[in-house]
Amino acid sequence: MSRYHNATTYWAKTGINEYGQQTFATPVALVTRWEDVSKLFTEKESGKDLTSASIVYVQQDITLDGYLYLGTSVAADPRAVSGAYPIKRLDKTQNI
């Protein structure tokens, strides 16, 4: 299922805290194209084969290990948001 011009919340990974857990920037709203599809892909860092839950097209740069959520959220930690997904692969295509 493809959804165009969706309100999507994005949390950029900012680092690791003193307890070894990821920290995140304040969530920001993006307009995306969100496709709910399962697709096999290879994670670039580990080389592991994984299956995606969704493919999301964005117009701005985002970071690996950030999180995306289809909808709006003001939660400080995306891991507390049901349906927020970690970004495990980024592919960039130049506009023509």
Side-chain angles (χ1 to χ4, degrees):
M1 172 187 221
S2 181
R3 296 176 242 185
Y4 297 91
H5 308 294
N6 300 108
T8 300
T9 304
Y10 167 61
W11 292 264
K13 178 183 172 186
T14 56
I16 304 291
N17 67 16
E18 62 272 13
Y19 304 107
Q21 296 182 336
Q22 290 182 346
T23 57
F24 299 94
T26 302
V28 295
L30 306 178
V31 175
T32 66
R33 176 179 169 188
W34 188 291
E35 294 183 359
D36 292 326
V37 295
S38 294
K39 186 173 180 179
L40 186 66
F41 70 96
T42 302
E43 187 178 38
K44 289 183 181 180
E45 289 182 355
S46 70
K48 292 180 183 176
D49 287 337
L50 302 173
T51 302
S52 69
S54 301
I55 297 175
V56 183
Y57 299 91
V58 299
Q59 294 181 348
Q60 59 279 6
D61 288 337
I62 58 176
T63 60
L64 203 57
D65 292 326
Y67 275 72
L68 291 172
Y69 169 69
L70 181 58
T72 56
S73 176
V74 295
D77 189 337
R79 295 167 296 187
V81 178
S82 178
Y85 296 101
I87 301 165
K88 291 297 185 184
R89 180 162 175 169
L90 295 172
D91 294 313
K92 224 174 186 179
T93 303
Q94 298 297 324
N95 288 337
I96 55 172

